[in-house]
Structure formats: structure tokens, C-alpha cells
Amino acid sequence: MSLSLTELTLSHFRSHRLGRLTLDSRPVAIFGPNGAGKTNILEAVSLFSPGRGLRRSSADDMTRRPEALGWKLTGVLQAQGSVREIETWSEKGAARQVRIDEKSASQIALGRIARVLWLIPSMDRLWIEGADGRRRFLDRMALSFMPEHAEVALTYEKSMRERNRLLKDQVRNAHWYGALEAQMAEAGHCIHQNRIRTLALLSGAQEQAETAFPVADLELVQTEGEMPETQSDLREALAESRFRDLAAGRTLVGPHRADLYGVYAAKSVPARDCSTGEQKALLVSLILANARALAEQIGAPPILLLDEVSAHLDANRRAALYDEICALGAQAWMTGTGPELFAELGSKAQRVEVTEVDGVSQIAIA
């Protein structure tokens, strides 16, 4: 069984006034000069999954200027033996909408049929920057396994924002906190359990695989204190922390205080202390492990988006990556400046050339 996007149309999206692609399930090698619009294609594909896409941009920022007031993406998804027609768009900067088989749908519904993973250059600094990025990285993986994770996370964030507003206003009446803390405890415990399950799935996928990439030992830690083990414990911890939280003006306990700690297993070296090349290899390893675990779970590998994937990978590791992608059977969309970066793929991939003419991206099957 396969999961692939076989038709894609971009209308007034970023640098693309109008672009169309008709493809098969093989990997897609996209090449062209810097600034031509290659990454914009990957961003478009990322919007066939829940969320704000691989750049985390607002819907308004994705609109082509100056002639358009919105954008639209349409695609045909081959999903485990069925064909689904998907549309997603935004008008005048409003929140994006989704339609599946000509019926309005939620992003949660989209996540149940389209599983999309990505690795982009900004993630190369994942191990050495703040915990926020590592939480997002882990939550994207959790979302791939459990589409409902997005809704739970939104519930937690909304309740926490309201609680933080009370804290900043120095509201001390316990009555105002009870319902919010109950919601936070229920959603927060679920978030924590989803993350733990995700780490277990990744660990299993890494242990069972024969791969040229280094294994990463991962651990979920708290930036301060410990995460309460049960829903009732988290609710109690939130109540007990009110005095401290009032002084700080924000919530100091919960899954939003978690961090992802990684170790290069073969060397017992923390990921943050590894070389740039080793850090990149660890990220590639985790994306592949995520893909293998998903293939085991849903019966098909996810769509992979690998932007400038050759950066920090030597020729041998690049060839090994291509071999693993092909063995997995994933439709991987990869970008690079020239076709020579994908030479090792031979006829196993289809090639797309992107050029820029007068500020407009042009797409052509090479």
C-alpha cells in the first residue's frame, strides 16, 4: 500500500502564480537555483496535513503579492487503495479551509488520511536552540501517529492562556481557576502520554532497522521539577503552584515545560555536543524511524519532505538515504540546487525543475 500525492496545483501561492504537477508514487527530486520557489512547493505539500505547514507561516503570508487576495492548493491523494481529492485555501488572510472529496472537513480529518513528515534546514539547529523547537518536533511526530493530538494540544493551550491571564491580573479567587485547571489536567496528561508513546514507537523503529544513520536515544525531561504522573496529580500540582505562578505571571508546571533530550547512542554523546554533520544525521535517522513506525502502524509510509537534504551529508550518506527511502517505498519530495545531487537515484525518482522568470516560479517535469 502507498501514500502519495499524484496531482498538485498551486494557485497564487507564494512565488507560484499557477503551477501544476502530475506525478506517480516514486520520490520527487526538485532542483533549481536558490530563490526559484523549490521550498514553496514543499510547503504547499505540507499543508495537506494539519497545522501551519513547514514554515509555520500565517495564511496571509502565503498569498502571492500583489495581485492576489488569497491562495488555493488542490491535490489528488492516493491513500491506501483509495483516491481522495483535497482542496485547501485561504481568502483575504483568513484561516485556511479544507475540503475533502468536495465536502468541508476539519484539519483533524485531513490528518487521518494524509501523513506528512518533514526535515528543513531551520531544524538543523534543533539540538542547540531552545526547548520550544524540540517540543514542536516531538509533537509533530506524535501528531503523525495520533491525529487527535492536535486537538488536545489546542485545548491545553487555550486553557493555559486563560489561566495565565488570570495570573497576570493577580486574580486570587480559587473559584476562577478550578474549571481551567481541570481542563488543563485532562489535556496535559493526554499530551504527556502521547509523547511517551511516540518515543516508544521511535525507539522500537530504530532498534529493528538496519540503517546507515546513527541511533538517537531520546528522553522526555522537564525544564524544572517533574511532570505529574496522573491527571489528578497534574490538577493538584496546578492548584498547589498558584502562589508561585502568581508571582511569575505564568503557569510553571505542565507539559509545556517539557524538553526532548537526545544522545548519539553509539558514542554516548549528547546530541547538542555532536558535530553539525552528526546532528543532521541524527535528525535524518529520527525522520526515517518515524516513517518506518508509521508504515507499521497504518500500512503505508508517510509522504516525506526533505528540503536541501544533501546539506551536511557526504556522498555516501546521501546514497544511503536514497536507498532507505526507496526501500521504505515512500514518496519523498526532495530539493537541491542541481540534478547531480540526485544522480544516485537514477530512474527510481522523477525530477522537477523549478526556475524563476520575472519573479514568477515556473515548474516543469525534467
Side-chain angles (χ1 to χ4, degrees), residues 49-64:
S49 68
R52 295 166 58 187
L54 57 77
R55 283 192 177 110
R56 303 185 70 247
S57 297
S58 69
D60 189 51
D61 286 342
M62 299 176 196
T63 301
R64 176 172 170 76

Side-chain angles (χ1 to χ4, degrees), residues 26-100:
R26 290 177 296 163
V28 184
I30 305 172
F31 64 91
N34 290 328
K38 302 184 300 294
T39 303
N40 295 341
I41 296 175
L42 267 59
E43 183 179 27
V45 179
S46 74
L47 292 170
F48 284 82
S49 68
R52 295 166 58 187
L54 57 77
R55 283 192 177 110
R56 303 185 70 247
S57 297
S58 69
D60 189 51
D61 286 342
M62 299 176 196
T63 301
R64 176 172 170 76
R65 306 295 184 189
E67 72 274 9
L69 294 175
W71 52 266
K72 185 174 185 179
L73 305 170
T74 61
V76 174
L77 184 74
Q78 306 287 334
Q80 298 169 279
S82 63
V83 179
R84 313 303 292 267
E85 295 182 2
I86 299 173
E87 301 169 89
T88 185
W89 71 96
S90 170
E91 297 178 352
K92 299 181 180 179
R96 75 180 178 106
Q97 301 179 61
V98 176
R99 197 154 46 209
I100 301 174

Side-chain angles (χ1 to χ4, degrees), residues 121-351:
S122 64
M123 295 163 66
D124 291 350
R125 297 179 59 82
L126 183 81
W127 302 112
I128 58 176
E129 294 189 331
D132 284 356
R134 289 186 289 276
R135 280 196 299 273
R136 284 196 300 271
F137 180 70
L138 177 56
D139 283 338
R140 280 298 311 181
M141 291 191 286
L143 176 64
S144 73
F145 295 117
M146 296 154 277
E148 66 278 5
H149 186 73
E151 192 168 20
V152 174
L154 286 173
T155 297
Y156 182 83
E157 289 169 8
K158 181 176 183 294
S159 300
M160 185 171 66
R161 281 197 303 270
E162 293 179 12
R163 184 179 188 269
N164 286 347
R165 191 176 299 117
L166 294 176
L167 294 169
K168 289 176 182 177
D169 291 342
Q170 293 294 296
V171 174
R172 297 177 181 273
N173 189 333
H175 171 77
W176 291 97
Y177 290 93
L180 289 175
E181 290 172 353
Q183 289 179 330
M184 288 179 67
E186 181 179 3
H189 177 67
C190 187
I191 289 169
H192 183 67
Q193 292 303 308
N194 287 349
R195 289 171 174 171
I196 294 295
R197 181 186 173 196
T198 296
L199 294 183
L201 289 168
L202 291 172
S203 177
Q206 289 189 103
E207 288 175 2
Q208 297 168 13
E210 293 184 9
T211 176
F213 293 90
V215 170
D217 287 338
L218 301 176
E219 182 183 359
L220 189 63
V221 299
Q222 293 296 114
T223 55
E224 181 182 340
E226 295 183 0
M227 176 68 188
E229 292 187 4
T230 68
Q231 179 178 329
S232 59
D233 286 344
L234 179 53
R235 184 173 182 177
E236 184 176 333
L238 286 166
E240 290 178 350
S241 185
R242 282 179 206 155
F243 182 77
R244 189 169 62 115
D245 293 353
L246 278 163
R250 66 186 190 281
T251 302
L252 298 176
V253 62
H256 65 287
R257 304 284 287 179
D259 195 2
L260 180 65
Y261 180 70
V263 173
Y264 190 127
K267 297 184 176 183
S268 298
V269 174
R272 64 172 177 264
D273 296 330
C274 290
S275 69
T276 301
E278 288 172 335
Q279 290 179 356
K280 181 78 170 188
L282 287 170
L283 288 174
V284 172
S285 179
L286 288 173
I287 293 295
L288 291 173
N290 192 172
R292 286 191 293 267
L294 262 178
E296 179 71 21
Q297 181 189 66
I298 67 174
I303 294 172
L304 301 177
L305 307 178
L306 306 174
D307 194 21
E308 301 293 343
V309 70
S310 60
H312 307 306
L313 295 182
D314 59 31
N316 290 335
R317 272 223 168 117
R318 195 166 64 230
L321 172 61
Y322 298 158
D323 286 344
E324 293 195 32
I325 287 170
C326 292
L328 187 61
Q331 188 191 50
W333 297 60
M334 300 171 284
T335 65
T337 52
E340 70 280 358
L341 295 171
F342 307 104
E344 296 92 343
L345 280 164
S347 62
K348 295 177 182 177
Q350 51 212 314
R351 289 162 174 76

